[in-house]
Amino acid sequence: MESAIQQTALDVQATLAGKQVFLTGATGFLAKVVLEKLIRAVPDIGGITLLIRAGRDDTGARARFQLEIATSSVFDKLRAERPRFLETFFAEKIHCITGEITEPAFGLPLARFAELARNTDLIINAAASVNFREALDEALAINAHSVQNVAALARTANAPLVQVSTCYVNGFNKGEMREEMVHPARAAIARHRQGYYDLGGLLAHLQRRIDQARKSGAEPAELARRLTAIGIEEANYFGWNDTYTFTKWMGEQLAAEAMHGRALSIVRPSIIESTLQEPAAGWIEGVKVADAIILAYARGKTSFFPAKPEEIVDIIPADLVANSIVLAGVEALSDAPAHRIYQACSGSGNPVRLGKVIELIQNESRRNWRNYERLFFKAPRHRFRVVGRPVFLLMLRAMAAGLALRSGLRQLLGLGESPALEALRTTQTLAQTFSFYTAPQYRFHNDGLLALSQRFSAQDELDFPVDPRLIDWRDYLCRIHMGGLNRYALRARPAGQRPPPGEKHAMTRRDYAWHRMDTEKNLMVINSILLFEGPVDMQRLTATIAYRLPNYPRFTQKVKRRLGLAQWVEDEHFDIHQHIRLERTEKEVGLAELQSRMTELAHQPLEEDRPLWHMTVIDQAGGGHAIVFRVHHCITDGLGLVHVLNHLTDDNGLHGKTPSLVGHPHRALEAEGAYAPTLARAKSSLKIAAHIGRLGMLWPDLRTRLKAPLSGRKQLVWLPPLDLREVRIASKRMGATLNDIWVAAVSGALRQYLQERGQDADSRALRAAVTFNLREKANAFQLGNEFGLVAVDLPTDLDDPCERLRRASARMTAIKRSHQPRATMAFLSLAGCLPTALQHFALNLFTSKGSVVLTNIEGPGSRRYLAGSRMTDLICWVPQAGRIGVGLAFISYAGQIQLALFVDTQLVPDPERLMELTRQAFAELDLATRDAVEDEEGIGTPLASAG
């Protein structure tokens, strides 16, 4: 019967609708995440009762809730997106009780306790003291004895209890740690036949030691130190590293005893750190286990630590833990009463070794320390080293002896104690507290938790993810967690150490070059349009953009130029409403009208005294809304813009329940390549210089109507999308890339277009500037411009489409293996150093070598939603620089390809025709490649072996 019940499908919304949840520890980090999740994801919940201890000034529970919980940044997302809902929920469904969890019945009158029990359906006990070196009496009261008081409420209410514990109750045990009751690693404790351990004798023994310490008459501070020492001594004797894990293990046993025959679920998290996704990636409160070491390193107070870099360190984001708690509670409410244990951990499903964690965080710190202004006050001077414990102790003694002598000399000279001695004490304290966790001897498993998750619907699994395989460790540690630690956990610098208002950050030379490329005939603005299948809620849209976009600082900064230098300066008067404007129309806007309006907007320069971006929302466009998103090229390139769009949007229409995995990014000011060996950099620089010289010596491109003087009158057009799968099949059929197909198709279209206008296309190939990405996708959040332009002779002089494809593929392959992309990126950096007039001269000289710009952007692979509205199409136009007046863009989105053309009408007065020819060229390639692979004479030789 039990196994049949366990197979029953579970449903979060249906189970928790109308239920009353009792939650403890709401002033703490994890409980806040649980509370926010319940409010946002289960709006039909009956109510949530919070047990809150009275403040020191006898402040009641409700007042403390308003002051310490309701104002928390954990609710920023809800405040931005659904402020009225949040306010109503707080007023109507949050019930606060002033009580003391360490007292029987929480110190309430029995009638009030009975009333509380009648109004409780589920209990989540997240209250705990997480001080690893807590005085024994305090740790016992909060982590052990209080569980008996919470269990008393559960029995009276006949309600399930979810007890939040820790994976580290496994203590000094070694090996594979499963979701089961833990036995002491050292001294024996009697085990009850029901499976838990009988703590009667142990608790009496500990109480005697506490009483003896109290009778000593020691001062309060000294008594606390003695009780801490006693707690550590007893914990070590029975098999635990510290008082915290020892007393949390005791809490599990007392819960199991008190809840015999009733529903009890124990959820054990490993090392809880900042959130992965919800409510905001990187949200954290306070400095946790790993963060204390990061902070000490950032402040120059430690640079070595005892650890085992080859061992697995188990870190789990707080939102995955909160989801585990919710799922465990739903199961306990739905199934027959039983005792269950779940471990929220990453060590078995997505392990990361301690050495890798250190490497990732250290590299991020050394490269991008300026991004974390609250964490780093200056660049880290030393690398962080990990050593074995014996070596660590030897180093500690040797350094202590040397520094003591140095400090003594300083004091004799009236200079005060050596700062290095303080740093040594910090290292010693950190090692004493945390070294157990940085030398793990076991791996935690979560098979039961993953099996529980699979009992829920696909939607619940999406809304309440628990699987650690969602974590990309590089992304999480280097961007999400470091950014969250800086943003949420740390206060602003002390007044004397704060940067001045409007702190400036230098632009890179490449970005500065793009900023100065604007001319009356060519604006350096990336124009894109997002089409939606229905209307977009403006209030929700503005709130979403206001909440998410400032995570990229460049979108709240403006450019200041002075004495030939440019800097990013925070816009002190930034107003999101100046950057998002609704444009109402009297009737439905068709494709031609939308293209016309898009063209008008593309002619308008962005306002220089504000951050260089703008959104225009057009209603009644193709049955829904359209958003014209314009971003100056100095902010980012195409790949960076796609990252921004991914961050602004969600992967479903719930918007808020399952936000994008893309977290809170921060700009990077230094390139990783800066750490390359000097000899390698010098060799690479010589090759790049040689390529720049070759590019400068190229003949100007063929004089066709595409190289006429520019008029400055622009037009933007686009086509209905192509099927990405069909184009990909054609590319695989011939062993080519999508970019090769794109170059070959454009070549065919340009050839036909020139021939229709009576121009000879057979004598010589046209040349194009093709964008070439030089940045990994994982670093797209850094924004800026990390791409090169490669000069490619398009096979416009070839009539056969398959031969054009072969030639395009061979030329693109050769360029990929060359230094030409980096050479053009270096050219842009050099241009950024020149005076404006010289930059324009150099740019005109460079752009005279080509006739068109081609770009290929990989957009989101699946459908995206913005402010709850489904985005059907994403189209992007590449700007042209210097003397180039024709730009063609290819962007993929959700299984389709969008082709877009941006031209100077002096060169292409009928862009619709060129677009149509491009579509025909794709179709021609598809047919020709089908014929080629069917030819038995070898015409279908794979392109990979051509040339």
Side-chain angles (χ1 to χ4, degrees), residues 709-763:
L710 305 181
S711 67
R713 295 187 302 275
K714 298 284 188 175
Q715 190 168 343
L716 292 86
V717 294
W718 68 90
L719 286 174
L722 302 176
D723 188 325
L724 176 60
R725 189 177 66 88
E726 293 297 327
V727 179
R728 186 170 279 134
I729 288 172
S731 69
K732 289 183 178 179
R733 187 186 299 137
M734 297 297 286
T737 67
L738 287 177
N739 204 41
D740 297 338
I741 294 281
W742 169 233
V743 171
V746 169
S747 300
L750 290 171
R751 172 185 173 83
Q752 181 64 28
Y753 185 80
L754 290 176
Q755 285 181 332
E756 288 179 355
R757 278 139 194 84
Q759 295 196 282
D760 178 22
D762 292 324
S763 60

Side-chain angles (χ1 to χ4, degrees), residues 283-544:
W283 189 82
I284 193 170
E285 187 176 62
V287 174
K288 310 305 172 192
V289 176
D291 310 326
I293 302 171
I294 295 173
L295 184 61
Y297 172 68
R299 302 293 164 79
K301 293 185 177 180
T302 189
S303 59
F304 69 106
F305 200 79
K308 294 182 178 180
E310 72 281 0
E311 296 294 340
I312 294 169
V313 61
D314 206 301
I315 297 170
I316 192 75
D319 48 341
L320 301 192
V321 180
N323 294 336
S324 304
I325 292 169
V326 173
L327 297 190
V330 169
E331 178 194 37
L333 282 167
S334 305
D335 286 359
H339 287 193
R340 306 171 177 92
I341 297 175
Y342 297 115
Q343 293 185 159
C345 54
S346 61
S348 58
N350 186 9
V352 61
R353 300 196 183 278
L354 180 63
K356 186 64 175 178
V357 172
I358 293 170
E359 174 193 340
L360 290 173
I361 291 178
Q362 178 173 257
N363 288 343
E364 174 70 7
S365 301
R366 290 174 67 85
R367 286 198 306 270
N368 300 324
W369 63 272
R370 293 183 184 89
N371 301 340
Y372 311 109
E373 72 285 350
R374 296 183 179 185
L375 185 58
F376 289 92
F377 294 170
K378 57 184 178 180
R381 295 174 55 193
H382 305 289
R383 286 196 171 274
F384 191 84
R385 295 169 293 165
V386 292
V387 296
R389 189 166 186 80
V391 174
F392 174 79
L393 293 174
L394 186 63
M395 291 173 64
L396 208 63
R397 292 191 188 103
M399 292 175 69
L403 287 172
L405 178 61
R406 180 180 173 186
S407 187
L409 291 172
R410 285 176 59 90
Q411 289 179 349
L412 286 174
L413 296 172
L415 299 176
E417 187 180 76
S418 169
L421 194 59
E422 180 190 354
L424 190 67
R425 290 197 196 104
T426 300
T427 299
Q428 187 172 13
T429 302
L430 289 171
Q432 188 178 43
T433 306
F434 301 121
S435 60
F436 171 73
Y437 300 91
T438 57
Q441 301 182 75
Y442 38 49
R443 179 166 59 174
F444 304 125
H445 288 262
N446 64 343
D447 299 337
L449 179 62
L450 294 180
L452 170 62
S453 176
Q454 291 174 3
R455 294 184 59 197
F456 288 81
S457 67
Q459 189 59 57
D460 276 345
E461 285 192 75
L462 193 63
D463 292 350
F464 298 88
V466 300
D467 194 334
R469 287 173 294 186
L470 288 170
I471 307 168
D472 178 328
W473 287 113
R474 178 183 296 276
D475 188 55
Y476 175 71
L477 293 169
C478 294
R479 179 170 55 82
I480 294 175
H481 182 61
M482 290 280 284
L485 185 62
N486 181 76
R487 179 175 183 176
Y488 297 108
L490 302 177
R491 296 179 179 177
R493 300 185 196 181
Q497 298 174 323
R498 290 178 195 164
E503 183 181 22
K504 303 174 177 63
H505 298 278
M507 294 182 77
T508 66
R509 289 174 295 183
R510 283 190 300 278
D511 295 342
Y512 186 36
W514 281 107
H515 184 258
R516 294 193 305 177
M517 269 186 225
D518 277 321
T519 65
E520 292 182 359
K521 297 179 179 179
N522 273 331
L523 294 176
M524 292 301 102
V525 176
I526 303 174
N527 295 283
S528 60
I529 189 167
L530 290 59
L531 303 177
F532 296 85
E533 67 178 359
V536 178
D537 184 316
M538 282 300 295
Q539 183 178 1
R540 196 171 174 186
L541 171 69
T542 304
T544 301

Side-chain angles (χ1 to χ4, degrees), residues 601-853:
L601 291 170
H603 282 84
Q604 298 175 8
L606 296 167
E607 296 188 40
E608 285 285 338
D609 59 344
R610 293 177 186 164
L612 295 171
W613 66 274
H614 192 272
M615 283 184 173
T616 301
V617 183
I618 303 173
D619 68 355
Q620 301 188 78
H625 277 183
I627 297 179
V628 179
F629 188 20
R630 307 184 66 226
V631 179
H632 199 283
H633 218 313
C634 69
I635 289 180
T636 190
D637 52 26
L639 183 60
L641 183 60
V642 168
H643 193 280
V644 171
L645 289 172
N646 261 324
H647 183 63
L648 295 180
T649 58
D650 297 278
D651 51 19
N652 67 32
L654 296 176
H655 184 66
K657 291 189 176 180
T658 55
S660 166
L661 287 178
V662 180
H664 286 236
H666 289 265
R667 64 194 181 283
L669 302 177
E670 297 180 50
E672 189 167 352
Y675 298 100
T678 303
L679 184 61
R681 290 205 308 271
K683 185 178 179 181
S684 178
S685 297
L686 287 173
K687 291 181 179 179
I688 287 171
H691 271 283
I692 292 177
R694 288 176 197 161
L695 288 170
M697 295 172 65
L698 282 177
W699 288 102
D701 200 13
L702 187 65
R703 296 292 296 181
T704 66
R705 66 176 302 131
L706 302 182
K707 289 300 292 180
L710 305 181
S711 67
R713 295 187 302 275
K714 298 284 188 175
Q715 190 168 343
L716 292 86
V717 294
W718 68 90
L719 286 174
L722 302 176
D723 188 325
L724 176 60
R725 189 177 66 88
E726 293 297 327
V727 179
R728 186 170 279 134
I729 288 172
S731 69
K732 289 183 178 179
R733 187 186 299 137
M734 297 297 286
T737 67
L738 287 177
N739 204 41
D740 297 338
I741 294 281
W742 169 233
V743 171
V746 169
S747 300
L750 290 171
R751 172 185 173 83
Q752 181 64 28
Y753 185 80
L754 290 176
Q755 285 181 332
E756 288 179 355
R757 278 139 194 84
Q759 295 196 282
D760 178 22
D762 292 324
S763 60
R764 181 178 157 193
L766 286 180
R767 192 179 294 125
V770 180
T771 61
F772 195 96
N773 176 52
L774 293 171
R775 172 169 48 198
E776 295 180 3
K777 289 182 187 178
N779 295 329
F781 69 90
Q782 295 175 336
L783 302 191
N785 289 276
E786 293 285 334
F787 71 96
L789 288 167
V790 296
V792 180
D793 287 334
L794 300 177
T796 53
D797 53 339
L798 299 176
D799 185 53
D800 180 71
C802 284
E803 187 58 32
R804 280 201 301 268
L805 183 53
R806 288 191 183 91
R807 192 71 60 85
S809 180
R811 289 171 180 170
M812 293 303 296
T813 300
I815 287 171
K816 289 175 189 175
R817 296 170 181 167
S818 77
H819 276 66
Q820 189 180 148
R822 294 198 176 277
T824 56
M825 190 166 74
F827 170 81
L828 288 172
S829 294
L830 291 172
C833 300
L834 299 173
T836 304
L838 283 178
Q839 176 181 312
H840 284 295
F841 173 79
L843 192 66
N844 287 334
L845 181 65
F846 182 77
T847 56
S848 69
K849 314 299 183 182
S851 297
V852 299
V853 177

